Amino acid sequence: MDTTANSDADSRPPASRSWQRFRRSPSAWIGGGIVAVFVVIAWLAPWITPYSIRQTSSADRIAEPPSREHLLGTDQLGKDVLTRVMYGSRLSLLAGVISISLAIALGTPIGAVAGYFGGRVDSLLMRGIDVALAFPSVLIALLVAASLGASWWAVVIAVGLINVPVFARQVRATVLTVAQLDHVLASRAFGATWWHIVWRQILPSLTSPLTVLASLSLGTAILEVAGLSFLGLGGDLTVAEWGAMLTIAKTYWSSNVWLALGPGLAISLSVLGFNLLGDALRDALDPRSDASLL
Amino acid sequence: MIGYLVRRVLHALVTILVAVALVFIAVRAIPGNPLLARFGQHPDADEIARLRAENGWDRPVLVQLGQFLWQVGTTGDLGRSLARTNVNVTDELRKRIPATVELTLAALVLAIPLGIAAGIVAAVWRNRWPDRLGMFLALAGVSVPIFFLAICLREVVTFLPTSQRLPLTMSLEPLTGLLLVDSLLRGRPDVFVAAVRHLLLPAVVLATIPMSVVARITRSSLVDMLASDFIRTARAKGASLWRVVLRHALPTAAVPITNIAGLQIGLLLSGAVLTETVFDWPGLGRYLASAIIGDRDYVAIQACAIVIAVLFASLNLVLDLVYVWLDPRIRLQ
């Protein structure tokens, strides 16, 4: 992306320039399109799936390869795989959104306090964050999920917790720069309370870095949720959830290789969508970064 | 330099202690009594109480932690497995750590050079088809779940073995535990070939994410470098494109690349748990997963945690020293 050529002549406000960059980027269109399709499928699943989620075929149609009636085949109970994959987008998107919201809700205050107050508070909090980041997240996730007992919620909370340090660091870095800007210094000179400064002047400037990070992390979170439930921490394997469906596919591998295709492709595509969208957002909001991919 | 080193080592030790203490307390919060599994359907309350006392679980957690650290520190004994009676965890880990180390190193040996090469190609032919193709593959590499990739590769690549480290008919008395090294040291080329064939698929699967990440960071740091004045000067003085890329730009881009490569080590272990599960690889990751999910084997879990914490802290230490070597300014900060 060539930003140096037209930046001098461009007098439009930065937000409108960002939006224009975003609209011109193919990553934004492809990523946004993929994400939108998954959101629509998740939303309308009960009305648009070819079969009912409960419906099983007759006994002779168990674990079939793809056919005209069953585009992705049937599973070991004779259920339509496409239907289950479409329903699975509900749980997976929800898991991603909830866990990232949890990470933002916990990470933002930690990062804001560390960045704003600095000094000892900062070094203590950041030391803790560094330990957490240095430690393999899978161990933390496995322990959290196991101590909560194997369930969907346990996996979601575990994934949320391992993402807290990522958000805390980003928020701290932004707060450190913003707190030195002129308008913040000015309102501090006028006697604004720290609460007012953080809430009204610093938090709004977090929107764009957090949007980028959240979009990129949503993809990772979906991957992590699928990975943990693939390992068996999601509890109920009969639920239409992509990771659990892949575990089943592994068990019934020898009889039907097609079982893995639907959920596997669904995870890959949705994560690809969030990654493309996140990259496009980053390019649009931070013109200095050069990471355009398509 | 000495002062810096001492500070870093102390920091690493504190990290290990904190991590081990947290895991030690966390495993005791996992619901379910691991001893029950031993008794089947008719647990004997007296026997369980006796075993609890024997393991010291009737004492406060902090006392247990102190005793455990003392025991590990003085004797190196990590305790006996709860799930498989009379298996010493230290012995078990001694067999499994080399398997994971071999797999992880193989993945890194694939990922780092290939990732850097792909990043260079993408940066040099920026915004042309090699760049687009490479970066699309890199993006796909971080988007496809590695267990799905593993399942697909198992199906497509039928001429390579998909489980264990060696065929059942073959065995080798371990020296280092790394089969590739041991087989050469013992002069067994047949074992070497078999080990490579077993290692190939798991290593490729585990390498995808770090390779993609290294390719992306190499491209973006090189693109920055190639736009800078000293590169233009070097080109103007007649240095060839490849000389400029390899001798001028790449060394300057080495710090961010090492930085990112270091962060991948954490991800590699997460990947190892999944990869080892799909490929029945007898390593640390699968041991840890089954200890947590299946057996709730406290002793095995805390032992794994120690090993992982030590591995991690020492690798991070080594990486920090590499940064200082690459960029002496860091030391002074």
Side-chain angles (χ1 to χ4, degrees):
Chain A
M1 188 187 320
D2 191 8
T3 49
T4 47
N6 57 5
S7 58
D8 296 331
D10 203 339
S11 58
R12 289 167 300 147
S16 126
R17 260 180 287 157
S18 292
W19 172 237
Q20 176 148 31
R21 268 197 301 272
F22 185 70
R23 263 191 340 196
R24 278 191 191 153
S25 129
S27 309
W29 284 101
I30 301 171
I34 295 174
V35 170
V37 167
F38 274 102
V39 170
V40 168
I41 289 177
W43 193 2
L44 300 178
W47 295 280
I48 57 175
T49 49
Y51 295 86
S52 154
I53 186 76
R54 291 189 180 75
Q55 183 182 340
T56 49
S57 306
S58 54
D60 56 327
R61 313 214 54 175
I62 282 173
E64 271 194 352
S67 62
R68 279 185 104 130
E69 296 92 70
H70 299 283
L71 289 176
L72 289 173
T74 59
D75 72 358
Q76 79 288 355
L77 298 173
K79 292 183 178 176
D80 181 50
V81 173
L82 180 62
T83 304
R84 282 169 62 76
V85 168
M86 289 167 87
Y87 268 91
S89 60
R90 300 187 134 189
L91 278 181
S92 290
L93 293 188
L94 203 61
V97 170
I98 297 178
S99 55
I100 293 306
S101 310
L102 181 70
I104 293 177
L106 293 176
T108 307
I110 297 177
V113 166
Y116 189 78
F117 291 104
R120 286 213 164 166
V121 183
D122 183 27
S123 60
L124 190 71
L125 284 175
M126 281 304 118
R127 191 58 58 84
I129 293 291
D130 280 344
V131 171
L133 272 181
F135 218 53
S137 57
V138 70
L139 182 56
I140 303 173
L142 283 173
L143 280 174
V144 171
S147 40
L148 294 172
S151 72
W152 183 79
W153 276 105
V155 170
V156 171
I157 292 174
V159 170
L161 287 181
I162 57 180
N163 280 297
V164 168
V166 184
F167 282 89
R169 270 177 90 109
Q170 174 72 58
V171 169
R172 173 178 175 270
T174 313
V175 169
L176 275 180
T177 32
V178 175
Q180 299 305 318
L181 293 181
D182 288 342
H183 71 278
V184 178
L185 292 178
S187 55
R188 195 185 284 185
F190 279 122
T193 59
W194 70 270
W195 179 249
H196 175 88
I197 294 175
V198 169
W199 190 250
R200 299 296 299 273
Q201 308 203 308
I202 295 183
L203 281 186
S205 61
L206 287 173
T207 341
S208 68
L210 282 188
T211 314
V212 174
L213 193 59
S215 175
L216 290 170
S217 312
L218 263 170
T220 338
I222 291 176
L223 272 184
E224 285 160 348
V225 167
L228 287 179
S229 62
F230 177 73
L231 286 173
L233 286 168
D236 189 0
L237 280 180
T238 57
V239 167
E241 198 271 342
W242 294 337
M245 290 170 74
L246 277 173
T247 313
I248 302 254
K250 193 177 154 240
T251 316
Y252 290 88
W253 192 240
S254 46
S255 58
N256 191 358
V257 294
W258 297 104
L259 275 182
L261 208 62
L265 286 180
I267 301 174
S268 313
L269 260 182
S270 58
V271 176
L272 187 73
F274 280 112
N275 280 338
L276 281 170
L277 194 62
D279 277 331
L281 281 170
R282 183 179 49 203
D283 290 350
L285 294 169
D286 178 9
R288 282 181 313 130
S289 80
D290 183 286
S292 59
L293 289 151
L294 284 174
Chain B
M1 185 65 201
I2 301 275
Y4 178 80
L5 195 63
V6 169
R7 253 197 344 267
R8 295 295 315 159
V9 171
L10 281 178
H11 189 185
L13 281 177
V14 170
T15 311
I16 293 173
L17 277 182
V18 170
V20 170
L22 286 180
V23 170
F24 194 87
I25 294 164
V27 275
R28 279 155 179 75
I30 297 179
N33 185 342
L35 288 175
L36 280 180
R38 251 198 226 178
F39 292 91
Q41 294 194 330
H42 303 288
D44 176 350
D46 292 342
E47 185 71 1
I48 287 182
R50 194 184 63 75
L51 278 170
R52 276 176 61 86
E54 192 179 286
N55 284 298
W57 294 342
D58 45 359
R59 272 164 279 186
V61 174
L62 285 181
V63 176
Q64 292 182 41
L65 178 62
Q67 282 177 333
F68 174 68
L69 289 177
W70 179 253
Q71 178 194 328
V72 175
T74 50
T75 63
D77 181 9
L78 292 164
R80 286 183 182 287
S81 167
L82 295 176
R84 278 163 288 278
T85 331
N86 299 326
V87 175
N88 192 312
V89 174
T90 316
D91 293 339
E92 189 84 356
L93 287 178
R94 201 169 284 146
K95 274 185 286 183
R96 288 170 176 273
I97 292 170
T100 297
V101 169
E102 189 165 59
L103 175 61
T104 319
L105 283 181
L108 279 178
V109 164
L110 283 175
I112 292 180
L114 290 179
I116 291 181
I120 292 176
V121 168
V124 170
W125 283 284
R126 190 179 159 209
N127 291 337
R128 309 245 298 273
W129 71 265
D131 183 21
R132 310 242 151 138
L133 178 70
M135 287 304 108
F136 180 77
L137 288 179
L139 194 66
V142 292
S143 302
V144 177
I146 60 172
F147 47 97
F148 177 56
L149 183 67
I151 292 176
C152 292
L153 278 183
R154 274 177 70 124
E155 197 55 28
V156 176
V157 188
T158 46
F159 53 88
L160 284 175
T162 55
S163 70
Q164 299 295 329
R165 299 172 74 192
L166 278 180
L168 288 172
T169 51
M170 218 177 247
S171 68
L172 191 72
E173 187 63 27
L175 280 169
T176 59
L178 304 177
L179 285 176
L180 297 190
V181 178
D182 288 359
S183 58
L184 290 182
L185 288 178
R186 293 205 185 271
R188 291 283 302 275
D190 55 326
V191 177
F192 182 80
V193 171
V196 169
R197 284 169 51 88
H198 279 76
L199 186 58
L200 218 51
L201 279 185
V204 166
V205 166
L206 190 55
T208 48
I209 293 181
M211 197 191 305
S212 310
V213 177
V214 168
R216 290 178 68 166
I217 190 73
T218 304
R219 175 187 181 276
S220 69
S221 0
L222 271 187
V223 164
D224 285 350
M225 285 302 153
L226 290 177
S228 57
D229 291 341
F230 78 97
I231 294 293
R232 201 176 320 145
T233 310
R235 284 289 279 159
K237 287 167 81 177
S240 74
L241 176 68
W242 288 108
R243 190 182 159 80
V244 166
V245 168
L246 297 177
R247 297 294 298 278
H248 296 245
L250 196 59
T252 341
V255 172
I257 296 173
T258 326
N259 212 336
I260 293 292
L263 287 176
Q264 297 312 302
I265 295 170
L267 290 177
L268 272 178
L269 199 100
S270 311
V273 173
L274 290 166
T275 313
E276 289 179 3
T277 306
V278 179
F279 287 105
D280 292 331
W281 191 259
L284 192 62
R286 203 164 60 120
Y287 187 60
L288 174 69
S290 69
I292 293 182
I293 300 165
D295 313 325
R296 290 188 213 92
D297 190 339
Y298 292 175
V299 182
I301 297 171
Q302 68 209 20
C304 287
I306 292 187
V307 169
I308 292 169
V310 170
L311 272 178
F312 252 65
S314 27
L315 277 172
N316 280 322
L317 192 63
V318 171
L319 278 171
D320 276 345
L321 299 180
V322 173
Y323 300 149
V324 174
W325 177 66
L326 287 172
D327 184 358
R329 285 172 302 179
I330 293 171
R331 194 186 336 168
L332 301 170
Q333 286 170 2

